[in-house]
């Protein structure tokens, strides 16, 4: 029997501490204090308080999938949708240029497809319009309505404290599943075949929000995904550009000022498509609010051999609910 799973590294590594702008691992109190007390104290922080935050995050992760299911069920009962029609994918939600690209995919070579897209062919990231302005506006209205609703809300991850998990809101069944398999996967197969293999069989999708006084930037990192699509949902903000660098393992220490890092400016409705292991971050926003839909598309046929977070053969643990972290394993 094949079941979904997580890599056990999820429970103890890649825990982001915003105030030192660093991912840490936790195996024990003694290990954490020995490894990180110096950098924590240098930042003027309390080691004990930081350790507590890390242990709280570890505890959250142990129950994350069950809690996600509980919130999803409660939201389904209690939340009144503002625009119920947008929860089912329709072609008229797309930008006309995106429809054109999707029709070219099957009969185009990778090079021919890349020529239809903006971005950087050498660094293998691409940009193209995805959603119409009208759809972006409707989705943003729905998200703000949800934020004001008296229902439980999960947050995207340890790096993004403000935003919405789109599966909890109810977008998976009739929107995101179809978008991943019918539109995103055919493009990704052409541009990143080695990161798709047998298919993009699961995803994690969420919306991040940046605003002064909340999350304003995002540190240097790579994603827990084989392929990432980052779609800007609005305009009316200043700065907040992405910076894009090499693949993880090729130079995590590269800084924003170095020539190996490229800058990408957001455009409403446009998506940035890149490999999940591509290092990137977000510059600080200086005015307004920025909303982006992030889709982490995952291929079990790829990650079952190499976990993108610990960069090792995954030590798998089955999950009782949902897709886990997109891994699969056979159980007796």
């Amino acid at each position: 029997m094949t079941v979904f799973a997580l890599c056990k590294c999820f429970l103890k590594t890649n825990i982001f501490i915003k105030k030192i702008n660093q991912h840490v691992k936790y195996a024990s109190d003694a290990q954490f204090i020995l490894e990180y007390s110096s950098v924590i104290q240098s930042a003027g922080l309390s080691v004990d308080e930081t350790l507590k935050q890390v242990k709280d995050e570890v505890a959250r992760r142990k129950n994350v999938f069950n809690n996600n299911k509980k919130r999803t069920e409660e939201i389904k009962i209690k939340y009144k949708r503002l625009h119920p029609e947008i929860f089912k994918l329709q072609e008229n939600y797309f930008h006309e240029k995106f429809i054109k690209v999707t029709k070219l995919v099957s009969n185009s070579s990778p090079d021919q497809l890349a020529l239809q897209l903006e971005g950087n062919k050498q660094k293998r990231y691409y940009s193209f319009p995805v959603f119409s302005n009208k759809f972006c506006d409707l989705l943003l209205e729905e998200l703000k309505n949800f934020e004001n609703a008296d229902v439980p809300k999960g947050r995207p991850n340890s790096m993004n404290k403000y935003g919405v998990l789109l599966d909890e809101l109810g977008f998976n069944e009739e929107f995101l599943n179809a978008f991943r398999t019918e539109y995103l996967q055919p493009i990704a197969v052409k541009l990143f075949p080695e990161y798709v293999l047998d298919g993009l069989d699961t995803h994690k999708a969420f919306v991040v929000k940046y605003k002064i006084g909340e999350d304003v930037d995002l540190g240097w990192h790579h994603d827990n995904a084989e392929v990432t699509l980052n779609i800007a949902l609005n305009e009316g903000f200043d700065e907040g550009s992405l910076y894009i660098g090499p693949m993880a393992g090729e130079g995590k220490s590269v800084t924003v000022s170095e020539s190996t890092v490229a800058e990408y400016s957001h455009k409403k409705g446009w998506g940035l498509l890149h490999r999940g292991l591509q290092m990137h971050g977000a510059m600080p926003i200086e005015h307004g609010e920025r909303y982006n839909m992030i889709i982490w598309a995952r291929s079990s046929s790829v990650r079952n051999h190499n976990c993108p977070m610990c960069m090792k053969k995954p030590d798998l643990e089955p999950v009782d609910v949902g897709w886990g972290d997109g891994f699969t394993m056979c159980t007796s």
Side-chain angles (χ1 to χ4, degrees):
M1 178 181 177
T2 301
V3 299
F4 286 106
L6 59 82
C7 179
K8 292 179 182 178
C9 76
F10 173 72
L11 303 175
K12 57 188 178 182
T13 64
N14 286 290
I15 300 168
F16 187 67
I17 302 178
K18 175 71 173 177
K19 291 184 178 179
I20 62 172
N21 195 31
Q22 184 175 335
H23 287 88
V24 301
K25 61 182 179 181
Y26 174 83
S28 67
D29 289 8
Q31 166 269 327
F32 182 84
I33 291 170
L34 178 64
E35 194 164 345
Y36 300 110
S37 60
S38 178
V39 66
I40 291 170
Q41 290 172 338
S42 296
L45 304 175
S46 163
V47 174
D48 288 342
E49 289 180 8
T50 305
L51 176 59
K52 181 180 182 304
Q53 292 172 11
V54 169
K55 294 173 75 172
D56 286 347
E57 173 61 15
V58 170
R60 184 194 71 83
R61 293 185 182 193
K62 288 180 179 178
N63 297 297
V64 66
F65 302 112
N66 285 315
N67 288 338
N68 173 268
K69 181 182 179 182
K70 291 176 182 178
R71 286 191 301 267
T72 301
E73 292 172 346
E74 186 173 345
I75 290 167
K76 187 174 182 179
I77 295 170
K78 294 183 177 180
Y79 176 64
K80 183 177 181 180
R81 294 175 175 178
L82 180 64
H83 299 299
E85 71 278 8
I86 69 171
F87 287 77
K88 184 173 183 178
L89 187 63
Q90 300 180 43
E91 193 171 274
N92 62 7
Y93 296 160
F94 294 132
H95 192 286
E96 59 184 15
K97 290 185 179 179
F98 182 71
I99 297 173
K100 179 181 178 181
V101 167
T102 60
K103 291 180 177 178
L104 290 173
V105 171
S106 61
N107 295 318
S108 299
S109 69
D111 287 342
Q112 288 171 333
L113 177 59
L115 288 174
Q116 302 298 317
L117 312 175
E118 296 186 17
N120 188 311
K121 183 179 177 181
Q122 183 178 2
K123 292 182 179 292
R124 297 181 73 189
Y125 65 82
Y126 305 92
S127 179
F128 46 88
V130 179
F131 294 130
S132 68
N133 283 348
K134 181 178 180 180
F135 174 76
C136 290
D137 292 342
L138 291 173
L139 178 58
L140 205 56
E141 289 174 6
E142 189 72 52
L143 295 170
K144 292 180 178 180
N145 185 65
F146 177 68
E147 280 292 331
N148 292 325
D150 185 19
V151 292
K153 302 172 182 73
R155 298 306 180 188
N157 49 62
S158 62
M159 296 187 78
N160 297 103
K161 300 298 185 183
Y162 298 87
V164 175
L165 290 166
L166 291 174
D167 63 322
E168 292 187 1
L169 189 48
F171 274 96
N172 266 1
E173 290 184 5
E174 295 188 290
F175 192 107
L176 288 166
N177 289 343
F179 181 76
R180 183 190 76 242
T181 58
E182 296 174 23
Y183 295 93
L184 180 56
Q185 180 171 287
I187 296 173
V189 165
K190 286 292 177 74
L191 299 176
F192 314 123
E194 72 274 33
Y195 290 97
V196 178
L197 294 186
D198 294 341
L200 299 174
D201 44 356
T202 64
H203 64 264
K204 177 176 180 178
F206 49 94
V207 171
V208 292
K209 175 187 176 185
Y210 295 92
K211 179 183 178 181
I212 300 297
E214 298 180 2
D215 289 335
V216 296
D217 58 12
L218 190 64
W220 191 232
H221 70 287
H222 69 274
D223 296 334
N224 187 356
E226 275 62 64
V227 177
T228 295
L229 180 62
N230 180 337
I231 307 168
L233 298 178
N234 71 310
E235 51 196 3
F237 55 86
D238 295 331
E239 302 301 328
S241 297
L242 296 184
Y243 49 97
I244 307 166
M247 296 290 280
E250 295 177 3
K252 282 194 176 184
S253 62
V254 175
T255 62
V256 180
S257 62
E258 294 190 53
S259 60
T260 51
V261 177
E263 184 174 345
Y264 171 79
S265 298
H266 302 280
K267 291 186 284 188
K268 182 178 178 180
W270 282 61
L272 175 69
L273 184 70
H274 62 85
R275 295 161 292 173
L277 290 176
Q278 189 121 34
M279 297 296 294
H280 59 285
M283 302 287 283
I285 191 171
E286 294 185 357
H287 173 76
E289 299 177 345
R290 175 166 74 83
Y291 290 83
N292 288 64
M293 177 192 290
I294 313 296
I295 301 175
W296 287 352
R298 294 163 168 173
S299 170
S300 61
S301 59
V302 175
R303 64 179 41 222
N304 283 351
H305 298 284
N306 185 65
C307 173
M309 303 314 289
C310 64
M311 304 292 189
K312 301 175 183 176
K313 183 173 177 58
D315 182 9
L316 297 178
E317 180 176 304
V319 296
D320 297 327
V321 296
W323 292 330
D325 255 359
F327 300 91
T328 57
M329 63 184 296
C330 293
T331 59
S332 56

